Amino acid sequence: MPAHHRSARYGRYAGGPDPLAPPVDLAEALEAVAEDVMAGYSPEEALREHLRRGGSGQEGLDDLARRVHRRRQELLKHHRLGGTLDEAKQLLEKALRLEREQFLRDARMDPMDRSFRELQLDGLPASTAAAVSELASYDWQSRDAREAYEQIRDLLGRELLDQRFAGMKQALENATDADREAVAAMLGDLNELLDKHRRGEDTEEDFRDFMDRHGDFFPEDPQSVEELIDAMARRSAAAQRMLNSMSPEQREELMQLSAQAFGSPGLMAQLGRLDANLQALRPGEDWTGSERLEGRDGLDLGDGTGVFQDLADLDALAEQLSQFHRGATLDDLDLDALARQLGGDAAVSARTLAELERAMRDSGYLRRDPDGQLRLSPRAVRRLGRSLLRDAAQRLSSRAGRRDARLAGAAGEPSGATREWRFGDVEPWDTTRTVTNAITRTAAEGADPREGLRLGTGDIEIAETEARTQAAVALLVDTSFSMAAEGRWVPMKRTALALHHLVSTRFRGDRLELIGFGRYARQLDVGELTGLPPLREQGTNLHHALLLAGRFFRAHPSFQPVLLVVTDGEPTAHLLPGGESWFSWPPEPETVRATVEELDRLGRAGVQTTFFRLGEDPGLARFLQRMAQRVGGRVVTPEVEDLGPAVLREYLGSRTRRRGFER
């Protein structure tokens, strides 16, 4: 048929990961990881937690683990052992029924012989295995009865082989003597190969010769003797666990019946030798475990061994999904086993999580310090700050009814004049003047502007703006344990990150200092504050924090000082002259006096002060109100979820007040 007449058929892509699938959502992952880091988790723990929870529309490790658990429970509840014994019993009953029916039909049969045979059949042991053994030399009168009896021995042989070689039961159905001889030859050669391997005497050629002769018995297509042993040992160990799970009566019955397999005791001898070889070569497999199956569906030996292999797969998957052992990564997941047990969608979910884990580690959002600890990188903190600032701005605009234009940039109002760009300028370019300068210079140099234009630093002109006073902003955040205990720890950090990003990207002329205060106060960079865990220490040392803020303001004498204090408790600690922190609850007069004196000192220096009170403590409310009155400051009482917008509003408001002060 001509190529242009051929029809095309489309279907689901099945060649591995979908090449058109969207990339993993690093933004969502980063925000989730950072949220947990701010709550006190290490980045490693936070990443693990996100992978366990999953994302929007994405299964996590916990979801997959629950599916593994449900699948395991289904196997245990739907199945029971003893299916082979049941089938053997049914075949025996069929053979006896057919034999007795033959007695009734055969009128020429000697009455004495009939009576003797009836007594012989009536006197058979109740045990199926014992009855089958006793009938081994019985002269069957019914051909159909004899076939039913022979089916028992054929069934047992195929089942015993199916335990070790999956699919053998079906492959040997209606097997001939030649087929059985081929199986016996394979078992003999296999045991010889394993014996040589145990002694270290086998060669690659030995394995290849074996596979050339008997490769049809191994659809797994092992490529080495080690792969062959691995595959067989897993199934043999599962068969042993199944045997361990039977009742003593079931085991005894099965062992007796097994001696009748194919009517050849040699089969059991070869299989016993095979099991011994495999157990010696792979002692690390679970040869002693057992399970309690409580379902209704009886399992034959081959299918039962498959179920026990499935249970082992599910146990291994549960351990892999737990990621408990040190150094575990999602690359450890057996995706083939996951797809086999839970379906292809589970493997896709696991692969996506693994890609997310690799992307988070390779993206530069996480990095290891010299001490080996995983940290959020500066890049991650910047991206997080941008996201938090966007969220805070949206909350601001939703409350004000419009977008706050003051978040748009740092430059002042344009004056209409331009000037040549100088290093360090952050004002916007005057594009028209800049391009005109470049064209004029290019023409003066004798070049044709139509052949291309190259900008030089001397061409750039910037739009002059009205001067604005730069601010030195000290954000003091309470890091006492009550902040974490009352659910204020993460909102406090989110606020600090949003303000840091706003100042560092939109108002780069300002300076920001982050100061945390618990029993002691200390300066914190934004990355350090992000990963700061809650500390179970008592003390709210606002006095020490104000001392550090004063040092920061004195280091920037030409900047307008702005003080923002976030706290949920009265000061309960202050620094002694020797530098030690003195703690007392309720607050002692000395602590209050030291704190007030330091605030008064800042007030005399012209510091604009705003307190952000969290919680409903009436004592704190009275204290902060009096403190604000002393220095002409303000007290803001936001809900904890509105802390970020409130701090940003005050910071932006301080810029408005500064412009008014200039005029």
mmCIF file of all heavy atoms in Angstrom, residues 78-104:
data_model
loop_
_atom_site.group_PDB
_atom_site.id
_atom_site.type_symbol
_atom_site.label_atom_id
_atom_site.label_comp_id
_atom_site.label_asym_id
_atom_site.label_seq_id
_atom_site.Cartn_x
_atom_site.Cartn_y
_atom_site.Cartn_z
ATOM 1 N N HIS A 78 -7.699 -12.554 51.161
ATOM 2 C CA HIS A 78 -8.413 -13.222 50.075
ATOM 3 C C HIS A 78 -7.946 -14.655 49.841
ATOM 4 O O HIS A 78 -8.597 -15.402 49.118
ATOM 5 C CB HIS A 78 -8.262 -12.430 48.776
ATOM 6 C CG HIS A 78 -8.972 -11.111 48.795
ATOM 7 N ND1 HIS A 78 -8.855 -10.172 47.799
ATOM 8 C CD2 HIS A 78 -9.828 -10.579 49.703
ATOM 9 C CE1 HIS A 78 -9.599 -9.126 48.097
ATOM 10 N NE2 HIS A 78 -10.194 -9.335 49.240
ATOM 11 N N HIS A 79 -6.820 -15.042 50.408
ATOM 12 C CA HIS A 79 -6.247 -16.349 50.102
ATOM 13 C C HIS A 79 -6.052 -17.183 51.365
ATOM 14 O O HIS A 79 -6.004 -16.660 52.476
ATOM 15 C CB HIS A 79 -4.893 -16.184 49.396
ATOM 16 C CG HIS A 79 -4.968 -15.432 48.102
ATOM 17 N ND1 HIS A 79 -5.607 -15.930 46.997
ATOM 18 C CD2 HIS A 79 -4.497 -14.211 47.744
ATOM 19 C CE1 HIS A 79 -5.521 -15.057 46.006
ATOM 20 N NE2 HIS A 79 -4.855 -13.998 46.432
ATOM 21 N N ARG A 80 -5.943 -18.472 51.145
ATOM 22 C CA ARG A 80 -5.563 -19.394 52.209
ATOM 23 C C ARG A 80 -4.685 -20.478 51.606
ATOM 24 O O ARG A 80 -4.658 -20.691 50.382
ATOM 25 C CB ARG A 80 -6.797 -20.023 52.865
ATOM 26 C CG ARG A 80 -7.609 -20.904 51.939
ATOM 27 C CD ARG A 80 -8.767 -21.570 52.678
ATOM 28 N NE ARG A 80 -9.586 -22.351 51.752
ATOM 29 C CZ ARG A 80 -9.313 -23.585 51.372
ATOM 30 N NH1 ARG A 80 -8.203 -24.186 51.829
ATOM 31 N NH2 ARG A 80 -10.094 -24.234 50.540
ATOM 32 N N LEU A 81 -3.964 -21.167 52.456
ATOM 33 C CA LEU A 81 -3.076 -22.228 51.992
ATOM 34 C C LEU A 81 -3.848 -23.542 51.872
ATOM 35 O O LEU A 81 -4.955 -23.681 52.378
ATOM 36 C CB LEU A 81 -1.906 -22.378 52.964
ATOM 37 C CG LEU A 81 -1.035 -21.116 53.121
ATOM 38 C CD1 LEU A 81 0.028 -21.331 54.176
ATOM 39 C CD2 LEU A 81 -0.398 -20.740 51.797
ATOM 40 N N GLY A 82 -3.249 -24.499 51.220
ATOM 41 C CA GLY A 82 -3.860 -25.821 51.139
ATOM 42 C C GLY A 82 -4.620 -26.082 49.873
ATOM 43 O O GLY A 82 -5.349 -27.077 49.771
ATOM 44 N N GLY A 83 -4.507 -25.208 48.857
ATOM 45 C CA GLY A 83 -5.241 -25.428 47.620
ATOM 46 C C GLY A 83 -4.823 -26.710 46.915
ATOM 47 O O GLY A 83 -5.662 -27.441 46.370
ATOM 48 N N THR A 84 -3.534 -27.033 46.952
ATOM 49 C CA THR A 84 -3.058 -28.268 46.325
ATOM 50 C C THR A 84 -3.607 -29.488 47.053
ATOM 51 O O THR A 84 -4.016 -30.482 46.424
ATOM 52 C CB THR A 84 -1.525 -28.294 46.320
ATOM 53 O OG1 THR A 84 -1.047 -27.212 45.509
ATOM 54 C CG2 THR A 84 -0.997 -29.607 45.757
ATOM 55 N N LEU A 85 -3.638 -29.426 48.376
ATOM 56 C CA LEU A 85 -4.192 -30.538 49.155
ATOM 57 C C LEU A 85 -5.678 -30.716 48.837
ATOM 58 O O LEU A 85 -6.166 -31.850 48.721
ATOM 59 C CB LEU A 85 -3.992 -30.285 50.647
ATOM 60 C CG LEU A 85 -2.530 -30.200 51.129
ATOM 61 C CD1 LEU A 85 -2.492 -29.858 52.610
ATOM 62 C CD2 LEU A 85 -1.801 -31.501 50.854
ATOM 63 N N ASP A 86 -6.401 -29.591 48.700
ATOM 64 C CA ASP A 86 -7.825 -29.672 48.354
ATOM 65 C C ASP A 86 -8.015 -30.318 46.988
ATOM 66 O O ASP A 86 -8.894 -31.171 46.801
ATOM 67 C CB ASP A 86 -8.445 -28.272 48.345
ATOM 68 C CG ASP A 86 -8.479 -27.640 49.723
ATOM 69 O OD1 ASP A 86 -8.346 -28.385 50.716
ATOM 70 O OD2 ASP A 86 -8.626 -26.405 49.803
ATOM 71 N N GLU A 87 -7.183 -29.903 46.028
ATOM 72 C CA GLU A 87 -7.321 -30.435 44.675
ATOM 73 C C GLU A 87 -6.979 -31.926 44.644
ATOM 74 O O GLU A 87 -7.656 -32.718 43.970
ATOM 75 C CB GLU A 87 -6.414 -29.659 43.716
ATOM 76 C CG GLU A 87 -6.732 -29.898 42.255
ATOM 77 C CD GLU A 87 -5.985 -28.959 41.336
ATOM 78 O OE1 GLU A 87 -5.323 -28.015 41.840
ATOM 79 O OE2 GLU A 87 -6.047 -29.167 40.103
ATOM 80 N N ALA A 88 -5.959 -32.324 45.394
ATOM 81 C CA ALA A 88 -5.591 -33.745 45.458
ATOM 82 C C ALA A 88 -6.717 -34.564 46.094
ATOM 83 O O ALA A 88 -7.035 -35.676 45.639
ATOM 84 C CB ALA A 88 -4.294 -33.910 46.245
ATOM 85 N N LYS A 89 -7.328 -34.005 47.138
ATOM 86 C CA LYS A 89 -8.426 -34.701 47.801
ATOM 87 C C LYS A 89 -9.603 -34.879 46.843
ATOM 88 O O LYS A 89 -10.232 -35.952 46.803
ATOM 89 C CB LYS A 89 -8.855 -33.922 49.035
ATOM 90 C CG LYS A 89 -9.947 -34.604 49.838
ATOM 91 C CD LYS A 89 -10.289 -33.790 51.088
ATOM 92 C CE LYS A 89 -11.381 -34.492 51.894
ATOM 93 N NZ LYS A 89 -11.731 -33.714 53.109
ATOM 94 N N GLN A 90 -9.899 -33.820 46.055
ATOM 95 C CA GLN A 90 -11.010 -33.907 45.102
ATOM 96 C C GLN A 90 -10.732 -34.950 44.019
ATOM 97 O O GLN A 90 -11.625 -35.716 43.622
ATOM 98 C CB GLN A 90 -11.249 -32.537 44.469
ATOM 99 C CG GLN A 90 -11.808 -31.499 45.436
ATOM 100 C CD GLN A 90 -11.783 -30.099 44.861
ATOM 101 O OE1 GLN A 90 -11.446 -29.903 43.690
ATOM 102 N NE2 GLN A 90 -12.119 -29.124 45.695
ATOM 103 N N LEU A 91 -9.490 -35.015 43.552
ATOM 104 C CA LEU A 91 -9.139 -36.015 42.539
ATOM 105 C C LEU A 91 -9.221 -37.426 43.110
ATOM 106 O O LEU A 91 -9.664 -38.372 42.437
ATOM 107 C CB LEU A 91 -7.725 -35.747 41.999
ATOM 108 C CG LEU A 91 -7.592 -34.559 41.048
ATOM 109 C CD1 LEU A 91 -6.120 -34.275 40.767
ATOM 110 C CD2 LEU A 91 -8.351 -34.816 39.748
ATOM 111 N N LEU A 92 -8.823 -37.588 44.377
ATOM 112 C CA LEU A 92 -8.908 -38.898 45.015
ATOM 113 C C LEU A 92 -10.372 -39.319 45.157
ATOM 114 O O LEU A 92 -10.737 -40.477 44.856
ATOM 115 C CB LEU A 92 -8.231 -38.860 46.379
ATOM 116 C CG LEU A 92 -8.314 -40.153 47.203
ATOM 117 C CD1 LEU A 92 -7.631 -41.316 46.469
ATOM 118 C CD2 LEU A 92 -7.713 -39.956 48.588
ATOM 119 N N GLU A 93 -11.209 -38.398 45.608
ATOM 120 C CA GLU A 93 -12.631 -38.717 45.743
ATOM 121 C C GLU A 93 -13.243 -39.063 44.388
ATOM 122 O O GLU A 93 -14.083 -39.973 44.279
ATOM 123 C CB GLU A 93 -13.363 -37.531 46.376
ATOM 124 C CG GLU A 93 -12.995 -37.308 47.839
ATOM 125 C CD GLU A 93 -13.597 -36.030 48.393
ATOM 126 O OE1 GLU A 93 -14.107 -35.223 47.569
ATOM 127 O OE2 GLU A 93 -13.553 -35.819 49.628
ATOM 128 N N LYS A 94 -12.825 -38.372 43.360
ATOM 129 C CA LYS A 94 -13.320 -38.663 42.014
ATOM 130 C C LYS A 94 -12.897 -40.066 41.578
ATOM 131 O O LYS A 94 -13.711 -40.844 41.035
ATOM 132 C CB LYS A 94 -12.787 -37.621 41.033
ATOM 133 C CG LYS A 94 -13.192 -37.876 39.584
ATOM 134 C CD LYS A 94 -12.591 -36.822 38.662
ATOM 135 C CE LYS A 94 -12.949 -37.101 37.208
ATOM 136 N NZ LYS A 94 -12.345 -36.100 36.291
ATOM 137 N N ALA A 95 -11.615 -40.406 41.818
ATOM 138 C CA ALA A 95 -11.122 -41.736 41.426
ATOM 139 C C ALA A 95 -11.885 -42.833 42.165
ATOM 140 O O ALA A 95 -12.280 -43.859 41.565
ATOM 141 C CB ALA A 95 -9.630 -41.827 41.702
ATOM 142 N N LEU A 96 -12.127 -42.667 43.469
ATOM 143 C CA LEU A 96 -12.840 -43.680 44.253
ATOM 144 C C LEU A 96 -14.292 -43.800 43.791
ATOM 145 O O LEU A 96 -14.844 -44.911 43.716
ATOM 146 C CB LEU A 96 -12.773 -43.323 45.740
ATOM 147 C CG LEU A 96 -11.365 -43.339 46.366
ATOM 148 C CD1 LEU A 96 -11.438 -42.901 47.821
ATOM 149 C CD2 LEU A 96 -10.723 -44.710 46.245
ATOM 150 N N ARG A 97 -14.905 -42.651 43.482
ATOM 151 C CA ARG A 97 -16.297 -42.704 43.011
ATOM 152 C C ARG A 97 -16.394 -43.437 41.673
ATOM 153 O O ARG A 97 -17.271 -44.293 41.479
ATOM 154 C CB ARG A 97 -16.840 -41.274 42.885
ATOM 155 C CG ARG A 97 -18.249 -41.200 42.290
ATOM 156 C CD ARG A 97 -18.755 -39.763 42.278
ATOM 157 N NE ARG A 97 -17.851 -38.855 41.624
ATOM 158 C CZ ARG A 97 -17.723 -38.738 40.291
ATOM 159 N NH1 ARG A 97 -18.463 -39.510 39.494
ATOM 160 N NH2 ARG A 97 -16.890 -37.874 39.784
ATOM 161 N N LEU A 98 -15.491 -43.128 40.763
ATOM 162 C CA LEU A 98 -15.504 -43.793 39.454
ATOM 163 C C LEU A 98 -15.226 -45.294 39.582
ATOM 164 O O LEU A 98 -15.809 -46.121 38.857
ATOM 165 C CB LEU A 98 -14.460 -43.146 38.534
ATOM 166 C CG LEU A 98 -14.771 -41.707 38.077
ATOM 167 C CD1 LEU A 98 -13.576 -41.120 37.331
ATOM 168 C CD2 LEU A 98 -16.024 -41.670 37.205
ATOM 169 N N GLU A 99 -14.343 -45.648 40.517
ATOM 170 C CA GLU A 99 -14.038 -47.074 40.714
ATOM 171 C C GLU A 99 -15.261 -47.822 41.244
ATOM 172 O O GLU A 99 -15.576 -48.939 40.784
ATOM 173 C CB GLU A 99 -12.857 -47.212 41.671
ATOM 174 C CG GLU A 99 -12.409 -48.644 41.919
ATOM 175 C CD GLU A 99 -11.701 -49.277 40.725
ATOM 176 O OE1 GLU A 99 -11.596 -48.624 39.644
ATOM 177 O OE2 GLU A 99 -11.255 -50.432 40.859
ATOM 178 N N ARG A 100 -15.972 -47.228 42.191
ATOM 179 C CA ARG A 100 -17.158 -47.895 42.743
ATOM 180 C C ARG A 100 -18.270 -47.993 41.692
ATOM 181 O O ARG A 100 -19.021 -48.978 41.648
ATOM 182 C CB ARG A 100 -17.644 -47.130 43.980
ATOM 183 C CG ARG A 100 -16.716 -47.273 45.186
ATOM 184 C CD ARG A 100 -17.366 -46.703 46.435
ATOM 185 N NE ARG A 100 -16.587 -47.004 47.620
ATOM 186 C CZ ARG A 100 -15.725 -46.161 48.190
ATOM 187 N NH1 ARG A 100 -15.532 -44.950 47.647
ATOM 188 N NH2 ARG A 100 -15.047 -46.515 49.267
ATOM 189 N N GLU A 101 -18.379 -46.958 40.873
ATOM 190 C CA GLU A 101 -19.376 -47.024 39.790
ATOM 191 C C GLU A 101 -19.036 -48.152 38.818
ATOM 192 O O GLU A 101 -19.941 -48.814 38.270
ATOM 193 C CB GLU A 101 -19.433 -45.678 39.059
ATOM 194 C CG GLU A 101 -20.064 -44.553 39.878
ATOM 195 C CD GLU A 101 -19.986 -43.220 39.177
ATOM 196 O OE1 GLU A 101 -19.357 -43.154 38.083
ATOM 197 O OE2 GLU A 101 -20.534 -42.225 39.710
ATOM 198 N N GLN A 102 -17.752 -48.391 38.616
ATOM 199 C CA GLN A 102 -17.343 -49.490 37.742
ATOM 200 C C GLN A 102 -17.739 -50.841 38.332
ATOM 201 O O GLN A 102 -18.145 -51.752 37.604
ATOM 202 C CB GLN A 102 -15.828 -49.440 37.504
ATOM 203 C CG GLN A 102 -15.290 -50.531 36.586
ATOM 204 C CD GLN A 102 -15.812 -50.426 35.166
ATOM 205 O OE1 GLN A 102 -16.117 -49.332 34.690
ATOM 206 N NE2 GLN A 102 -15.958 -51.569 34.492
ATOM 207 N N PHE A 103 -17.655 -50.962 39.680
ATOM 208 C CA PHE A 103 -18.076 -52.208 40.337
ATOM 209 C C PHE A 103 -19.542 -52.508 40.005
ATOM 210 O O PHE A 103 -19.920 -53.657 39.739
ATOM 211 C CB PHE A 103 -17.920 -52.110 41.854
ATOM 212 C CG PHE A 103 -16.499 -51.973 42.323
ATOM 213 C CD1 PHE A 103 -16.232 -51.542 43.624
ATOM 214 C CD2 PHE A 103 -15.426 -52.289 41.501
ATOM 215 C CE1 PHE A 103 -14.945 -51.429 44.080
ATOM 216 C CE2 PHE A 103 -14.123 -52.178 41.962
ATOM 217 C CZ PHE A 103 -13.879 -51.730 43.248
ATOM 218 N N LEU A 104 -20.382 -51.462 40.037
ATOM 219 C CA LEU A 104 -21.808 -51.660 39.812
ATOM 220 C C LEU A 104 -22.111 -51.991 38.353
ATOM 221 O O LEU A 104 -23.052 -52.743 38.063
ATOM 222 C CB LEU A 104 -22.582 -50.401 40.230
ATOM 223 C CG LEU A 104 -22.503 -50.023 41.724
ATOM 224 C CD1 LEU A 104 -23.210 -48.695 41.968
ATOM 225 C CD2 LEU A 104 -23.100 -51.117 42.586
#
